[in-house]
Amino acid sequence: MEQEQVGIKTPEYVSLQFKLAGLGSRATAFLIDSAILMVANLLMYVIAFVILTGEMVLFDTSSISLFLFGIIIIMMFVIYWGYFIAFEFFSGGRTIGKKLIGIRVIQDNGHSLTLLSSFIRNLLRIIDALPGSYLVGIFMIFFHPQHKRVGDLVAGTIVVHERKAQSKKSLSPVEKEISRRGLAKHDLDLGEWALDSLGAKDWKLIKTYGNRLSGLTAHERTSLTKQTADILFGKLGMDMSEKEQVELENALLVLYLHMKDEWEYEL
């Protein structure tokens, strides 16, 4: 079941194909995440114990023990739910466990996870955990054709395997050029929602540009770089008119890295 494939057609009419993550990989990732959360909870208990036994405390603990207990319960709740929601949203659908196993959560349309969809799928862990030991979730993942639990069904999400890392020999021309220049995503500062204005056609444009760049003459490179930059950075609302040729090329190559996170599964 781990090797099943699912095909998705995005709203931009781009065909995507993913390898589904089954019960084994998802359960392993969840166990890793649970172990991390258990350590965090244990640390909170230790801190509370130190406080309530009078160590490192300069006030009367008897008057705050109940209050402290309530704070700990709230913090455990926030840490548990916040861990999954925050990591999945800010880390491309990956918690620490998912990243180690090589799986990620995406939307049914192939796009990256949104904050709302992450919130919904994780809130509904309450149902998936019923009647205990995640029995409902395990049952759903095992028997659903796309290995979805209740949270995935309601949130419109799916869990898939990551693409295996490419070796240097199999790098595309654009990736070789990026590696040669030593570029990274932090070289171009983009707003949190900036890439929402770019779609599948823009991804094809930046990918084609990057793959052709090294084989162009100086004149062709200057012309194509300006045209591509005007289109893409214009949509992003970024004024690049003062940039030199090399700066523009680097900016476009780094933009490729940003967009790859969203469109890396395109066929």
Side-chain angles (χ1 to χ4, degrees):
M1 295 180 73
E2 291 283 334
Q3 302 302 317
E4 290 179 347
Q5 303 279 334
V6 59
I8 294 174
K9 182 157 287 190
T10 73
E12 296 84 8
Y13 303 101
V14 177
S15 295
L16 311 174
Q17 190 170 10
F18 305 91
K19 184 166 71 173
L20 291 168
L23 181 60
S25 56
R26 293 183 65 170
T28 304
F30 179 73
L31 288 174
I32 294 172
D33 292 323
S34 296
I36 293 171
L37 289 167
M38 187 180 300
V39 171
N41 290 336
L42 181 61
L43 288 174
M44 283 196 299
Y45 279 123
V46 170
I47 293 171
F49 177 78
V50 170
I51 294 176
L52 291 176
T53 53
E55 297 179 26
M56 300 173 60
V57 176
L58 301 177
F59 42 80
D60 180 14
T61 58
S62 60
S63 63
I64 66 161
S65 57
L66 190 60
F67 174 76
L68 183 61
F69 179 75
I71 291 295
I72 291 174
I73 296 299
I74 294 173
M75 287 183 64
M76 288 175 62
F77 178 85
V78 171
I79 289 175
Y80 182 84
W81 298 109
Y83 171 86
F84 289 101
I85 294 171
F87 267 99
E88 286 184 355
F89 177 64
F90 290 107
S91 189
R94 311 171 189 89
T95 59
I96 295 175
K98 288 183 177 70
K99 190 170 184 178
L100 290 174
I101 299 302
I103 61 178
R104 68 185 296 196
V105 188
I106 60 173
Q107 295 184 83
D108 281 339
N109 60 10
H111 287 192
S112 297
L113 200 65
T114 64
L115 183 59
L116 178 60
S117 56
S118 178
F119 177 80
I120 292 173
R121 77 180 302 273
N122 284 295
L123 181 63
L124 289 177
R125 287 181 184 276
I126 298 171
I127 296 177
D128 285 305
L130 295 174
S133 302
Y134 269 84
L135 187 60
V136 170
I138 291 172
F139 182 88
M140 288 292 299
I141 293 171
F142 187 80
F143 288 103
H144 192 276
Q146 293 185 344
H147 306 314
K148 291 190 173 198
R149 59 177 177 84
V150 174
D152 292 313
L153 287 172
V154 177
T157 57
I158 190 170
V159 183
V160 297
H161 283 277
E162 293 275 23
R163 177 180 292 178
K164 292 182 179 179
Q166 294 178 304
S167 66
K168 286 189 176 181
K169 291 184 179 179
S170 62
L171 290 177
S172 65
V174 60
E175 288 161 342
K176 289 180 180 178
E177 186 67 19
I178 290 171
S179 178
R180 185 184 70 80
R181 299 188 185 205
L183 300 174
K185 289 174 64 175
H186 59 74
D187 292 325
L188 181 65
D189 184 23
L190 293 176
E192 184 178 351
W193 309 108
L195 293 180
D196 289 350
S197 58
L198 302 179
K201 291 182 179 179
D202 301 308
W203 165 242
K204 290 181 178 179
L205 173 61
I206 191 67
K207 188 167 66 171
T208 300
Y209 166 81
N211 286 327
R212 291 185 56 195
L213 186 62
S214 60
L216 298 174
T217 65
H219 176 73
E220 291 172 333
R221 176 179 294 198
T222 300
S223 177
L224 184 60
T225 297
K226 186 179 185 309
Q227 292 176 23
T228 307
D230 286 345
I231 294 172
L232 297 180
F233 291 121
K235 289 185 177 182
L236 293 173
M238 299 174 64
D239 182 12
M240 308 294 281
S241 59
E242 301 299 322
K243 298 290 185 182
E244 299 291 337
Q245 174 67 20
V246 174
E247 292 178 312
L248 268 182
E249 291 176 7
N250 288 344
L252 286 169
L253 292 174
V254 176
L255 180 60
Y256 167 89
L257 291 177
H258 283 279
M259 294 190 68
K260 184 181 177 184
D261 285 345
E262 178 82 12
W263 299 98
E264 62 183 336
Y265 289 100
E266 185 198 7
L267 297 178

